[in-house]
C-alpha cells in the first residue's frame, strides 16, 4: 500500500492511497470519512485491480486552504487530476459512496469518455429537501461553535445498521471525529449546492452498478432501485445486513458484488 501526496490544481495537497496492479479502480469515500473506509477493498481488491483511493479536500491527509470553499464539480476535477497523474489515459472504473457518489455523477457529466464502469453506492441523484439543507447548515454551524465530535454526534446511528459490530462503529467514529470543523463546513456547503442528476439518468451510457445496503436509511433500496432503472445499462443490487457503509459493514459481500460487476461488464 502506498500513500502519495499530489499537489492539486489549486495548490492543495491531494492525498491518495493506492495498492495493487491491474485495471484502475478508483474508490471515493463518503462524508465525513476518509480512505480508511476502503481498508478491506485496498487489501482484497488490490489482488486484481490497481485500487486508487483519493481523499477529498479537507479529509484524511488532503488539505483545504483556510476559508476555502468548493463545489462538487471541483472535487470531480480533483479526481480527474488524480486519475491522469496515476492512470494516465487508461479508462477508470469509478466507485463513489454517498458524497463520493455525488462526485462520481459530476465526474460522469464532465468526463464520460474516461470511464470504463461506474458504481454508485449508497448515493442519490436527487437534490435535498429544504429540511435536509437546513440540517446541513446546522451541522456546519455546530462544527464551528462546538467542534466536530459534537457536530457528528449520533451520525453513526444513521450510517450504520443497528447491529453493526463495535469495532466497525469505533472505526467509523474515529474517522468522523478526526475531521476539521472547516472541512465539515466546506463539504456540507458543497452538498447543499450540488447539481441534481435525476433528469440525466437516461444519458448515462457507461455500464453502471447501483449498490445499496438493505438497511440504508439515507439511500434506501426502494428508491435506489427505481432510479437505477432509468440508467440504460445499470444493474441494481442491495446487500443484506448492512446500512449506508456496506464496504465497511459487509466487506466480503461488497467486494464480491463489485468484482462480479466489473468482470461481467468489461
Ligand atoms: C455520506 O455518507 O457521504 C453522506 O451521507 C452524504 C450526505 O450527507 O448526503
Amino acid at each position: 500500500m502506498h500513500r502519495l501526496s499530489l499537489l492539486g490544481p489549486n495548490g492543495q495537497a491531494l492525498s491518495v492511497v493506492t495498492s495493487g496492479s491491474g485495471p484502475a479502480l478508483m474508490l471515493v469515500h463518503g462524508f465525513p470519512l476518509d480512505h480508511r473506509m476502503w481498508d478491506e477493498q485496498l487489501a482484497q481488491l488490490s489482488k486484481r485491480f490497481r485500487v486508487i483511493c483519493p481523499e477529498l479536500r479537507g479529509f484524511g491527509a488532503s488539505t483545504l486552504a483556510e476559508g476555502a470553499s468548493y463545489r462538487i464539480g471541483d472535487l470531480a476535477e480533483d479526481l480527474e487530476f488524480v486519475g491522469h497523474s496515476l492512470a494516465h489515459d487508461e479508462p477508470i472504473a469509478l466507485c463513489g459512496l454517498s458524497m463520493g457518489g455525488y462526485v462520481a455523477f459530476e465526474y460522469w457529466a464532465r468526463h464520460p469518455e474516461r470511464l470504463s464502469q461506474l458504481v454508485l453506492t449508497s448515493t442519490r441523484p436527487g437534490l435535498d429537501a429544504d429540511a435536509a439543507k437546513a440540517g446541513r447548515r446546522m451541522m456546519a454551524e455546530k462544527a464551528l461553535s462546538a467542534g466536530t465530535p459534537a457536530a457528528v454526534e449520533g451520525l453513526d446511528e444513521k450510517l450504520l445498521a443497528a447491529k453493526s459490530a463495535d469495532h466497525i462503529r469505533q472505526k467509523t467514529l474515529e474517522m468522523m471525529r478526526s475531521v476539521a470543523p472547516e472541512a465539515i463546513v466546506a463539504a456540507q456547503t458543497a452538498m447543499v449546492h450540488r447539481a441534481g442528476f435525476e433528469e440525466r439518468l437516461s444519458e448515462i451510457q457507461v455500464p453502471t452498478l447501483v449498490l445499496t445496503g438493505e438497511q440504508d436509511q439515507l439511500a434506501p433500496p426502494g428508491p435506489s432501485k427505481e432510479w437505477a432503472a432509468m440508467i440504460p445499462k445499470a444493474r441494481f443490487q442491495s446487500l443484506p445486513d448492512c446500512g449506508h457503509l456496506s464496504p465497511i459493514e459487509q466487506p466480503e459481500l461488497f467486494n464480491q458484488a463489485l468484482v462480479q460487476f466489473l468482470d461481467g461488464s468489461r
Side-chain angles (χ1 to χ4, degrees):
M1 197 160 89
H2 306 281
R3 183 191 274 280
L4 308 167
S5 184
L6 305 176
L7 187 62
N10 284 349
Q12 81 277 15
L14 273 175
S15 154
V16 190
V17 176
T18 69
S19 188
S21 57
L25 170 61
M26 190 182 283
L27 306 175
V28 187
H29 64 80
F31 169 90
L33 306 170
D34 58 52
H35 86 274
R36 288 173 286 176
M37 70 152 287
W38 302 115
D39 278 348
E40 290 296 325
Q41 287 66 45
L42 281 159
Q44 298 305 324
L45 300 178
S46 56
K47 294 171 189 161
R48 297 270 319 277
F49 299 92
R50 179 170 192 200
V51 182
I52 302 173
C53 300
E55 292 182 311
L56 300 176
R57 293 183 194 188
F59 296 92
S62 288
T63 59
L64 179 71
E66 211 181 313
S69 64
Y70 57 78
R71 291 291 178 260
I72 297 293
D74 298 318
L75 302 182
E77 294 309 327
D78 288 347
L79 298 191
E80 175 61 357
F81 179 77
V82 170
H84 258 295
S85 305
L86 300 186
H88 310 288
D89 290 332
E90 193 192 323
I92 289 175
L94 178 63
C95 167
L97 180 135
S98 201
M99 179 181 175
Y102 308 152
V103 185
F105 275 117
E106 273 288 345
Y107 187 92
W108 161 78
R110 290 157 182 254
H111 305 286
E113 74 294 345
R114 294 275 290 136
L115 292 172
S116 60
Q117 289 132 317
L118 185 60
V119 182
L120 300 165
T121 308
S122 291
T123 194
R124 291 172 290 135
L127 296 174
D128 295 331
D130 287 347
K133 286 185 181 161
R136 293 192 188 284
R137 293 193 179 102
M138 269 168 56
M139 187 192 282
E141 278 161 23
K142 196 157 186 184
L144 290 179
S145 63
T148 297
V152 300
E153 200 183 324
L155 186 57
D156 58 308
E157 282 160 29
K158 291 194 184 142
L159 299 184
L160 299 171
K163 281 198 287 187
S164 285
D166 276 355
H167 72 277
I168 292 174
R169 195 165 298 272
Q170 283 316 315
K171 179 173 182 162
T172 306
L173 288 169
E174 204 177 298
M175 281 188 271
M176 295 195 309
R177 289 172 178 159
S178 67
V179 179
E182 294 72 21
I184 302 270
V185 175
Q188 288 290 27
T189 307
M191 288 193 276
V192 164
H193 294 287
R194 73 185 190 272
F197 287 90
E198 277 175 322
E199 306 300 322
R200 300 198 58 190
L201 294 171
S202 63
E203 295 172 40
I204 301 179
Q205 291 301 331
V206 64
T208 301
L209 174 65
V210 176
L211 193 59
T212 193
E214 278 180 5
Q215 293 158 45
D216 192 332
Q217 300 173 48
L218 303 173
S224 300
K225 189 174 182 180
E226 275 173 31
W227 65 257
M230 317 280 284
I231 302 176
K233 293 180 198 157
R235 199 197 278 183
F236 169 78
Q237 195 171 346
S238 72
L239 300 175
D241 298 322
C242 58
H244 194 57
L245 300 183
S246 55
I248 311 181
E249 297 180 84
Q250 287 294 353
E252 280 175 26
L253 294 180
F254 178 88
N255 291 354
Q256 206 175 50
L258 201 61
V259 170
Q260 241 170 37
F261 165 71
L262 295 174
D263 282 350
S265 57
R266 210 172 283 287

